[in-house]
């Protein structure tokens, strides 16, 4: 769907530039933006390499393990249906910690693994939509319904509290901000509110589902 949206926007821009006689400016903007995109990617690669490396050091030193144990009460509160000791809990905890530290890209692998483990948990529960083979298939396509834990995890992932918005700081620095780190305080407030809202919403929906 996004491919169609972007293609439509590009076509509208090119057509509008041709009609108004600004096709040269459109071409120049496309070339300049292409070069700027490469420069931004290189900058972000360096930033993410630094933070992913620090994350690996924290993991090797045992810091991530201690933080993971420290947030288990929160994980149990948000995901009461996941058994203790299940692999999904560890991946969810790692994902939350990476998000809190502002490592949005670094938390993606843990998030994907968490979803895989949650899907396996649905198989163990006997959910037909997650059974092996073609169970629940219609027109040769397997239809799966996201579980309550999957929805909760996705909402928390999107609204996650961030203490250090690494990506935003890097973007601001790339585009010449006088104080790139000035976004930290507003980001903490905004993500704190979004996280509280997400927690309240998830628990409210979970309570309604259980009634």
């Amino acid at each position: 769907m996004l491919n169609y949206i972007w293609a439509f926007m590009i076509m509208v821009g090119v057509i509008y530039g041709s009609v108004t006689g600004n096709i040269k400016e459109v071409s120049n903007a496309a070339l300049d933006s292409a070069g700027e995109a490469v420069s931004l990617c290189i900058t972000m690669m360096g930033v993410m390499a630094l933070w992913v490396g620090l994350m690996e050091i924290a993991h090797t030193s045992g810091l991530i393990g201690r933080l993971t144990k420290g947030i288990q009460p929160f994980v149990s509160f948000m995901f009461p249906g996941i058994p203790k000791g299940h692999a999904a809990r560890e991946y969810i905890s790692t994902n939350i910690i990476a998000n809190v530290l502002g490592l949005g890209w670094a938390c993606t692998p843990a998030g994907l693994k968490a979803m895989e483990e949650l899907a396996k948990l649905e198989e163990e529960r006997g959910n037909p939509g997650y059974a092996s083979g073609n169970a629940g298939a219609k027109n040769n396509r397997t239809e799966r319904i996201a579980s309550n834990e999957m929805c909760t995890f996705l909402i928390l992932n999107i609204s996650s509290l961030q203490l250090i918005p690494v990506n935003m700081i890097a973007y601001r620095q790339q585009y010449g901000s006088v104080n790139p780190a000035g976004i930290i305080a507003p980001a903490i407030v905004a993500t704190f509110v979004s996280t509280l809202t997400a927690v309240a919403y998830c628990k409210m929906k979970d309570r309604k589902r259980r009634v």
Side-chain angles (χ1 to χ4, degrees):
M1 185 62 184
L2 286 178
N3 291 335
Y4 293 112
I5 294 175
W6 282 110
F8 174 75
M9 293 173 64
I10 292 172
M11 289 178 59
V12 170
V14 172
I15 294 173
Y16 182 80
S18 301
V19 172
T20 58
N22 295 316
I23 190 64
K24 180 179 180 181
E25 284 75 9
V26 173
S27 300
N28 291 337
L31 294 175
D32 292 341
S33 297
E36 187 176 338
V38 173
S39 177
L40 179 61
C41 287
I42 293 174
T43 300
M44 295 305 296
M45 284 175 59
V47 172
M48 293 311 300
L50 170 64
W51 282 99
V52 170
L54 291 176
M55 192 76 172
E56 186 64 25
I57 292 173
H59 186 274
T60 303
S61 67
L63 177 61
I64 297 299
R66 289 193 290 272
L67 290 175
T68 299
K69 291 181 180 180
I71 67 170
Q72 285 308 302
F74 175 75
V75 174
S76 298
F77 172 71
M78 294 303 302
F79 304 93
I82 301 179
K84 290 185 177 180
H86 196 278
R89 294 174 67 97
E90 180 179 353
Y91 289 121
I92 289 173
S93 300
T94 302
N95 179 271
I96 292 174
I97 292 169
N99 264 321
V100 169
L101 296 178
L103 306 177
W105 293 347
C107 73
T108 301
L112 294 176
K113 293 297 292 184
M115 283 295 189
E116 290 180 4
E117 293 299 329
L118 289 175
K120 291 178 182 178
L121 180 61
E122 290 303 299
E123 287 186 27
E124 296 170 3
R125 290 171 173 171
N127 188 327
Y130 289 84
S132 302
N134 293 322
K138 291 182 180 179
N139 299 324
N140 296 324
R141 295 181 61 185
T142 301
E143 295 184 354
R144 293 183 174 182
I145 299 175
S147 66
N148 187 57
E149 288 84 5
M150 288 179 176
C151 293
T152 299
F153 175 63
L154 183 60
I155 293 172
L156 283 179
N157 191 278
I158 295 172
S159 64
S160 177
L161 170 68
Q162 287 194 6
L163 300 180
I164 309 174
V166 177
N167 292 348
M168 290 302 299
I169 293 174
Y171 291 143
R172 286 165 60 85
Q173 184 177 16
Q174 176 69 16
Y175 290 106
S177 174
V178 178
N179 182 20
I183 195 69
I184 291 180
I188 291 176
V189 174
T191 55
F192 179 74
V193 172
S194 66
T195 301
L196 283 181
T197 303
V199 170
Y201 175 80
C202 290
K203 299 309 292 184
M204 178 183 68
K205 298 297 288 186
D206 185 52
R207 180 176 297 179
K208 287 184 177 180
R209 186 182 67 86
R210 294 175 184 276
V211 172

